[in-house]
Amino acid sequence: MLTTLNTSYTDTCAADLAWALGREPLPALATLDLEMSGAKLELRLLGASHQVLLEQEQGFCSETVACIPGSSTPLPLGVAKRVGEWEYEFAARVEVLTPGQFAGRAQELLALVADHPHGLAGVFPGSPHAFTALLAQRHEGYVHWRTWHAYPQDGQLVATRTRVGARVPTS
């Protein structure tokens, strides 16, 4: 699903993004509710980026990647931790692209997510390449999602990937 977000685009940058687990649902500009083999997933576009809410038999997990005023947790390159009964893995990277590369990559990602049944993308008014996009899937007992946060004024594209699944007991 592709939507135009009803908010102004503010000049932020990749360095302003923060990561948090366990936050309460924040006000969303657009949402997509998904049911994936017993997992309820809500993809949420915020004015400041994204939030994913996951509910399963094992419990609840909330991931927020956004420009959060007062946050002291910058966007990590990688995280692997236990969240209740789950294994949680997160990775992020920042791509720096030329204007031509950026435009091409933005079009490619928006086309991928817009028509996907488990995809949500929001374009900010004022720039066709200023967007946040999320894409989810379920595979081998894990729920996966990928996100992209575009900052065309800096040629920066932040890509994240997350995997959450039931903890496998060690023998």
Side-chain angles (χ1 to χ4, degrees):
M1 179 171 87
L2 179 63
T3 186
T4 298
L5 299 173
N6 189 18
T7 188
S8 60
Y9 180 69
T10 56
D11 288 333
T12 59
C13 64
D16 292 338
L17 286 176
W19 167 85
L21 279 177
R23 281 190 169 259
E24 291 296 316
L26 297 170
L29 299 173
T31 63
L32 179 63
D33 293 317
L34 302 170
E35 180 78 35
M36 304 170 88
S37 302
K40 291 181 181 177
L41 195 64
E42 184 178 357
L43 305 180
R44 303 168 56 82
L45 293 175
L46 312 175
S49 268
H50 90 261
Q51 187 173 51
V52 176
L53 308 177
L54 172 64
E55 188 176 350
Q56 260 183 207
E57 184 179 300
Q58 293 90 347
F60 178 80
C61 179
S62 162
E63 173 190 277
T64 306
V65 172
C67 300
I68 304 168
S71 177
S72 61
T73 307
L75 191 64
L77 294 177
V79 173
K81 65 186 305 180
R82 291 182 176 161
V83 178
E85 296 297 314
W86 287 329
E87 293 289 341
Y88 172 89
E89 296 175 11
F90 172 87
R93 74 176 193 285
V94 178
E95 297 176 48
V96 179
L97 306 166
T98 67
Q101 291 171 324
F102 195 96
R105 186 81 169 117
Q107 289 174 339
E108 174 186 278
L109 289 169
L110 288 172
L112 170 72
V113 175
D115 294 329
H116 196 286
H118 299 147
L120 175 63
V123 177
F124 290 89
S127 173
H129 302 132
F131 69 91
T132 299
L134 300 93
L135 186 62
Q137 67 178 25
R138 181 149 180 122
H139 181 67
E140 295 180 356
Y142 287 89
V143 177
H144 303 256
W145 59 86
R146 297 187 64 194
T147 73
W148 298 271
H149 307 262
Y151 300 99
Q153 72 279 7
D154 297 325
Q156 295 178 322
L157 181 66
V158 178
T160 74
R161 61 180 169 78
T162 301
R163 182 177 89 150
V164 181
R167 189 167 14 145
V168 178
T170 55
S171 43

